[in-house]
């Protein structure tokens, strides 16, 4: 999210459902006020979301004190405060068709424990995307410094992600209107990582999650062949 005008520009271009998320309440309040004429949520979520433990207690008691957004709850331009590394208390699984990341991944590379925070973030992106959704990551980072985290199609890996990744180099705007960007020069380009989810990989991921939950409960789950998009085993 941040304070750029991207959401307003996208809305003007015809995108009808845009959910903007930032960890900063100040940022969210500022943006909701700045773009009040195109925003639909006058009431913002609580500044502090409950922990996963308290969420589970509330679910057990059937008394959630906050709203968890699902696919049918969204539409229009919305501003929500949330931590992208822990969205369990904000969004249902399989809610979004597209997640657009404008240098957020880059910011996590500067965190105290980058590998841990990036892992948490990407797993949340995978969770909230539909089985055929797309994660678009706009980054300054070279592919050799990003793909080891963004692309992991190994079902046995802790970092397993249910998507395939393509990389595109996009020229940066130049101060000199007559200058020509050199796509081979990292200083002249942004890198766009297009991560398209696979129905088959998503099914495999869901099986892995079910086995993990069953193991935690002391149960056993038989491993099945991943389904194709038509619902048949591969």
């Amino acid at each position: 999210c941040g304070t750029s005008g991207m959401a307003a520009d996208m809305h003007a271009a015809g995108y009808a459902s845009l959910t903007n998320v930032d960890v900063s309440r100040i940022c969210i309040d500022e943006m909701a006020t700045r773009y009040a004429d195109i925003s639909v949520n006058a009431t913002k979520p609580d500044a502090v979301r409950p922990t996963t433990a308290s969420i589970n207690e509330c679910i057990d008691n059937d008394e959630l004190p906050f709203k968890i957004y699902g696919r049918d709850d969204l539409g229009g331009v919305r501003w929500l405060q949330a931590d992208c590394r822990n969205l369990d208390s904000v969004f249902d699984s399989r809610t979004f068709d597209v997640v657009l990341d404008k240098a957020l991944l880059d910011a996590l590379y500067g965190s105290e424990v980058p590998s841990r925070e990036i892992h948490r973030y990407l797993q949340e992106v995978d969770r909230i995307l539909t089985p055929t959704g797309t994660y678009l990551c706009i980054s300054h980072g070279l592919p050799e410094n990003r793909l080891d985290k963004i692309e992991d199609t190994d079902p046995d890996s802790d970092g397993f992600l249910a998507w395939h990744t393509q990389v595109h180099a996009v020229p940066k705007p130049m101060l000199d209107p007559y200058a020509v960007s050199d796509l081979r020069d990292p200083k002249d380009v942004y890198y766009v990582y297009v991560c398209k989810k696979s129905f088959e990989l998503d099914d495999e991921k869901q099986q892995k999650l079910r086995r993990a939950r069953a193991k935690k409960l002391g149960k056993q789950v038989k491993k099945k062949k991943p389904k194709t998009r038509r619902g048949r085993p591969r």
Side-chain angles (χ1 to χ4, degrees):
C1 178
T3 56
S4 80
M6 177 178 278
D9 291 340
M10 292 179 68
H11 179 265
Y15 290 91
S17 181
L18 298 166
T19 301
N20 303 274
V21 173
D22 199 287
V23 73
S24 167
R25 180 60 180 261
I26 294 173
C27 171
I28 289 299
D29 286 350
E30 178 185 333
M31 297 301 281
T33 301
R34 183 188 302 175
Y35 297 111
D37 57 327
I38 62 172
S39 302
V40 297
N41 62 328
T43 303
K44 273 78 69 180
D46 296 335
V48 179
R49 285 280 177 168
T51 64
T52 302
S54 61
I55 291 169
N56 292 333
E57 291 171 5
C58 290
I59 291 174
D60 290 341
N61 296 324
D62 196 25
E63 48 184 26
L64 286 176
F66 53 90
K67 183 175 183 60
I68 295 182
Y69 292 83
R71 194 170 178 80
D72 295 335
D73 300 312
L74 302 176
V77 179
R78 295 175 181 272
W79 309 91
L80 300 175
Q81 182 198 9
D83 185 340
C84 66
R85 298 161 298 180
N86 182 13
L87 297 171
D88 280 346
S89 64
V90 188
F91 301 121
D92 277 340
S93 298
R94 299 181 169 188
T95 294
F96 294 98
D97 296 305
V98 176
V99 171
L100 176 58
D101 170 349
K102 182 170 57 67
L104 173 55
L105 182 71
D106 289 358
L108 291 177
Y109 269 90
S111 60
E112 188 173 340
V113 188
S115 58
R116 180 188 65 196
E117 307 306 335
I118 291 167
H119 171 82
R120 292 173 61 196
Y121 166 57
L122 292 175
Q123 291 301 316
E124 280 294 84
V125 172
D126 191 353
R127 181 184 69 80
I128 64 175
L129 279 172
T130 62
T132 55
T134 301
Y135 168 51
L136 291 173
C137 176
I138 303 170
S139 171
H140 293 281
L142 291 162
E144 51 263 40
N145 298 328
R146 294 292 184 266
L147 286 177
D148 64 321
K149 296 289 192 297
I150 292 178
E151 188 172 49
D152 188 344
T153 56
D154 180 5
D156 295 325
S157 167
D158 288 340
F160 176 35
L161 297 164
W163 59 53
H164 296 289
T165 305
Q166 293 181 335
V167 186
H168 302 271
V170 178
K172 291 180 180 178
M174 307 293 281
L175 294 176
D176 181 354
Y178 301 103
V180 178
S181 299
D182 182 356
L183 295 181
R184 297 168 298 182
D185 186 347
K187 297 191 298 296
D188 280 3
V189 300
Y190 296 114
Y191 293 98
V192 180
Y193 297 88
V194 181
C195 308
K196 300 188 73 171
K197 287 194 71 170
S198 154
F199 187 89
E200 292 80 11
L201 286 177
D202 184 73
D203 183 67
E204 201 154 356
K205 180 73 171 278
Q206 296 309 309
Q207 288 192 43
K208 178 178 181 178
L209 293 173
R210 284 194 292 270
R211 289 195 298 272
R213 286 193 291 267
K215 184 177 181 181
K216 193 173 181 179
L217 295 172
K219 300 178 181 179
Q220 290 187 347
V221 176
K222 182 179 179 182
K223 188 173 182 180
K224 301 177 182 178
K225 290 184 178 180
K227 293 180 180 179
T228 64
R229 191 165 185 172
R230 294 183 178 180
R232 300 172 182 171
R234 280 193 299 194

